[in-house]
Amino acid sequence: MFGAVVVGMGTAGCVRIRDMLAPQPGSPAEKLTARGVISRRSLDTQEVSQISVEEAVSRDDIHVAFICTENMLHEDNIRTFLQAGKHVCVEYPMTMNYNAAVELWDFAQEKGLILHEEHIELLTEDFKGLKKEVEGKILQEGTLHFTGGPLKPGFGFQAFSGIARLTWLVELFGELSVTAATLEEDSGKNYSKMTAKLLTSDNRPLTWIEERGPGRPRAKNINFRFDSCTLTQIPPAPRGAVGLFMQDMIHFAAKLVGQVSPEELQREKIRILHCLKLADKIQQLCQC
């Protein structure tokens, strides 16, 4: 069994606790046991005790940390628990810059620890349906335009806070490069729009837009033009039988018990670091 602590008790942290208390039967997630929660707020937790970071890193019965804090705090929390010899599962993005991610991943490997970055948006039925639609088609050009409400403090630059959408594009179309990026902001209206111009490995143009402001619906709009057709809507799909965070927890636990091949672990690492490197480049271009 792997004793776990959850750091940050927002929506994701609460779901992590819920899933550990009632894991998917017969899955590797049954190997995880909630030993404590860490929060800046005083919590009235009935099933799991609230503990300090100092206690969590020193306890021999805690082997795993789930980092569910604001994005800006991820890096320091990952480092704290890796230094204490704990495996780490962190919500995306794992860090707010590429170099820090490389350093932490190398550190985890040196210590023989699992460092896992959650990407539940890759587990949605919508994405799975879209990937199936895209397979075998030759892209000519495309756009992914995300809209949503203003970002809360601590979530960082949009290329990182919205890296799930960038990850969609990498998973759908392979390795990408950044050719240009701009950021429009109106602080008085709490509005921002980041536009990144990307190229596939065979020089097909993609545009990624993250647009946020009050009253804007949370939505992903696509326009992918292929040699044979154009996709303008994400195929509707029924909700999966297993929750997204539970699917992610099962995958993380499978890594802990050695059920994921080294080749798959390496592919995942390459994809995550590639996306973080792209996000880093986009931020640099927007801030020039």
Side-chain angles (χ1 to χ4, degrees):
M1 296 296 291
F2 294 86
V5 63
V6 174
V7 186
M9 288 300 288
T11 301
C14 292
V15 173
R16 293 297 191 184
I17 291 293
R18 180 200 69 191
D19 287 351
M20 275 189 279
L21 293 174
Q24 184 73 11
S27 77
E30 289 185 314
K31 298 293 185 181
L32 289 160
T33 302
R35 301 287 190 203
V37 298
I38 297 170
S39 175
R40 293 187 297 268
R41 296 175 288 121
S42 294
L43 304 173
D44 182 19
T45 56
Q46 301 297 320
E47 294 121 326
V48 184
S49 300
Q50 185 169 359
I51 63 176
S52 66
V53 173
E54 293 75 19
E55 181 180 346
V57 298
S58 65
R59 278 175 51 173
D60 292 336
D61 66 336
I62 291 178
H63 315 96
V64 171
F66 286 88
I67 310 300
C68 307
T69 59
E70 298 92 335
N71 296 344
M72 303 292 283
L73 302 177
H74 287 178
E75 180 184 339
D76 286 345
N77 277 300
I78 294 170
R79 185 172 285 105
T80 294
F81 284 96
L82 289 180
Q83 286 173 340
K86 316 296 185 186
H87 305 285
V88 173
C89 171
V90 61
E91 311 301 317
Y92 72 81
M94 61 185 293
T95 63
M96 304 306 289
N97 70 82
Y98 168 74
N99 289 334
V102 172
E103 176 199 335
L104 290 172
W105 217 301
D106 289 346
F107 186 45
Q109 290 186 313
E110 286 169 15
K111 292 179 73 73
L113 298 169
I114 296 296
L115 175 55
H116 170 85
E117 185 187 55
E118 163 268 305
H119 267 287
I120 58 171
E121 289 208 29
L122 295 180
L123 304 175
T124 65
E125 297 304 313
D126 286 353
F127 177 74
K128 293 172 186 175
L130 179 60
K131 191 167 185 181
K132 196 172 291 186
E133 284 284 339
V134 165
E135 281 175 2
K137 295 182 172 67
I138 301 173
L139 179 73
Q140 302 300 308
E141 62 179 340
T143 299
L144 172 56
H145 184 172
F146 173 83
T147 61
L151 279 175
K152 297 176 182 177
F155 278 71
F157 188 76
Q158 290 205 36
F160 288 94
S161 64
I163 205 166
R165 267 74 69 187
L166 181 58
T167 304
W168 266 35
L169 293 175
V170 168
E171 281 286 298
L172 292 173
F173 303 115
E175 186 174 307
L176 303 175
S177 58
V178 183
T179 60
T182 58
L183 179 66
E184 303 170 43
E185 288 185 295
D186 187 334
S187 56
K189 295 182 179 178
N190 210 3
Y191 171 83
S192 63
K193 182 180 180 181
M194 183 202 76
T195 303
K197 299 293 185 179
L198 310 163
L199 279 179
T200 65
S201 59
D202 56 353
N203 292 317
R204 305 297 183 178
L206 284 167
T207 301
W208 172 35
I209 302 169
E210 291 275 313
E211 187 173 16
R212 289 183 171 273
R216 281 174 169 73
R218 186 175 178 85
K220 299 183 194 76
N221 302 289
I222 64 167
N223 191 308
F224 297 145
R225 185 168 64 85
F226 299 96
D227 57 334
S228 57
C229 66
T230 299
L231 286 178
T232 58
Q233 289 187 325
I234 298 170
R239 194 176 213 173
V242 180
L244 299 178
F245 280 101
M246 180 63 79
Q247 291 181 54
D248 179 71
M249 186 174 287
I250 290 169
H251 185 49
F252 175 52
K255 293 179 180 181
L256 295 175
V257 298
Q259 294 180 3
V260 179
S261 71
E263 292 77 19
E264 185 176 345
L265 291 173
Q266 182 66 11
R267 281 194 300 271
E268 195 172 311
K269 173 186 174 182
I270 289 170
R271 184 256 295 162
I272 289 169
L273 290 179
H274 177 59
C275 290
L276 288 167
K277 192 171 188 177
L278 293 173
D280 218 331
K281 177 66 172 177
I282 291 167
Q283 182 174 4
Q284 290 172 24
L285 290 171
C286 286
Q287 293 177 342
C288 286

